[in-house]
Amino acid sequence: MPHDPYIAIWEFTVPADRAEAFIAAYGPAGAWARLFQQASGYRGTELYRDRATPDRFVTIDFWLSIDDYRAFRTRFADQYAALDRACEALTSAEHPLGSYG
């Protein structure tokens, strides 16, 4: 349903020497959250670091609906791509863990 909450979860592997910069970019007040905040329907981001495997992080992005997320991706496609390129060097791997609603 288009008005169900939409949650996107990503897993990242981050080298130790890039962890601080990664947290600054991907955390709740980071560059990604600031980009998302420009869109209607964004509800926040959470960032977690695995206690057993400290180079592994998970982000959880909350949207009011899948339609809000899709509208964001369309309207901010260029900014999204530019930020993705700028942050590419912060991780050694990234994988979507799914989207939920």
Side-chain angles (χ1 to χ4, degrees):
M1 293 190 162
H3 296 292
D4 288 339
Y6 176 74
I7 300 165
I9 303 175
W10 284 80
E11 176 186 47
F12 300 88
T13 303
V14 181
D17 64 333
R18 298 182 210 150
E20 189 175 316
F22 175 84
I23 292 167
Y26 286 82
W32 282 104
R34 288 192 304 274
L35 176 61
F36 297 159
Q37 287 169 354
Q38 296 178 53
S40 173
Y42 172 69
R43 294 297 179 246
T45 293
E46 295 178 5
L47 173 65
Y48 297 97
R49 187 176 202 168
D50 189 322
R51 291 176 190 221
T53 310
D55 67 339
R56 190 167 85 180
F57 290 80
V58 173
T59 61
I60 306 171
D61 301 316
F62 298 89
W63 293 83
L64 191 59
S65 72
I66 185 77
D67 291 340
D68 287 320
Y69 177 73
R70 288 177 180 154
F72 158 75
R73 288 298 305 262
T74 299
R75 181 173 176 207
F76 294 92
D78 293 340
Q79 296 94 321
Y80 187 101
L83 185 55
D84 194 43
R85 283 190 303 275
C87 292
E88 197 171 271
L90 298 178
T91 65
S92 58
E94 66 179 74
H95 306 283
L97 295 182
S99 55
Y100 305 87

